[in-house]
Amino acid sequence: MGFEVGIASVAEVALIAEWAAREGWNPGRTVALDGVVAQQPNYRRSGFRPAWTTTRFEGAPPIPDPPAGIGLVDARAVPFDALAAFDRRHFGAPRDAFLAAWISLAERHALVAMTDAGIVGFAVLRRAPAAARLGPVFASDAEVATALVSALAHESGAQNVAVDAPGINPRAAAWAESLGWTPTFETARMYTGPAHTIDTDGLFGITSLELG
């Protein structure tokens, strides 16, 4: 029997994910596991160099309790130029078209933390079979990160969440652990060229393992 290879449609991707879920397989997680520390020698031979590790933490979201002086607003209501500049500071490169889609796709919730001085935090939650995925989580401190995550979970009804905490910011893992979340696996971030210069202190959760 012959077959053809082509680009999957959105509906076909959803069907593939459904098949995988029935088998107890999470395709995104399997792709991520290909970057575990044990695989690093293979990547080095291809010219990749390790930059830092990323640890996925999962657990129940905290109870909403926004800190004084912080307002949480829908990311789509924030001037996009300001949001894009905040995102670029933590990602290291412009990705405006992606960002516009990321905060507005179906089954997404995106919030920005604001003070009188401007944006101090930004986070997005998207639905997933086992645990709602948080990413990115950019925040001036752990208190702001917690406020964003708790509000997103409350807004979406998520009972369990997961975040990919970058090892380049030690505060990220400490924050996740303080919430009682459990580390489930670790991956390695690697580059063939120089790593982007970013605000690592504000990086509590990367956008996704596949997109950085």
Side-chain angles (χ1 to χ4, degrees):
M1 180 181 294
F3 63 90
E4 294 182 4
V5 177
I7 298 174
S9 67
V10 173
E12 288 168 337
V13 170
L15 179 60
I16 293 168
E18 182 182 336
W19 289 344
R22 289 177 187 171
E23 298 294 327
W25 175 47
N26 185 333
R29 181 164 180 163
T30 302
V31 170
L33 285 172
D34 190 45
V36 295
V37 176
Q39 296 291 334
Q40 289 188 26
N42 295 328
Y43 289 116
R44 286 193 184 96
R45 285 193 286 271
S46 298
F48 287 89
R49 295 184 302 278
W52 68 80
T53 58
T54 299
T55 304
R56 175 161 295 174
F57 287 87
E58 298 184 19
I63 297 172
D65 184 22
I70 301 291
L72 302 179
V73 299
D74 190 312
R76 295 168 296 182
V78 175
F80 186 76
D81 288 349
L83 179 61
F86 190 77
D87 180 78
R88 191 176 305 125
R89 194 173 98 198
H90 298 86
F91 179 69
R95 52 175 181 175
D96 294 8
F98 164 82
L99 181 63
W102 195 249
I103 64 175
S104 58
L105 290 171
E107 300 185 341
R108 306 287 172 103
H109 297 265
L111 292 175
V112 169
M114 303 280 297
T115 67
D116 292 339
I119 298 175
V120 294
F122 167 51
V124 178
L125 179 148
R126 63 193 190 279
R127 290 186 59 185
R133 302 293 174 82
L134 295 163
V137 180
F138 302 149
S140 57
D141 56 42
E143 188 176 30
V144 171
T146 299
L148 285 165
V149 169
S150 60
L152 285 168
H154 179 74
E155 182 179 288
S156 66
Q159 299 298 309
N160 199 42
V161 295
V163 67
D164 297 314
I168 197 170
N169 178 16
R171 297 196 304 169
W175 164 69
E177 290 170 350
S178 74
L179 296 176
W181 295 351
T182 303
T184 56
F185 68 90
E186 183 179 282
T187 66
R189 171 64 61 88
M190 308 185 81
Y191 294 97
T192 56
H196 293 304
T197 300
I198 59 175
D199 177 1
T200 57
D201 287 344
L203 184 58
F204 285 83
I206 64 172
T207 305
S208 78
L209 291 174
E210 293 76 20
L211 300 173

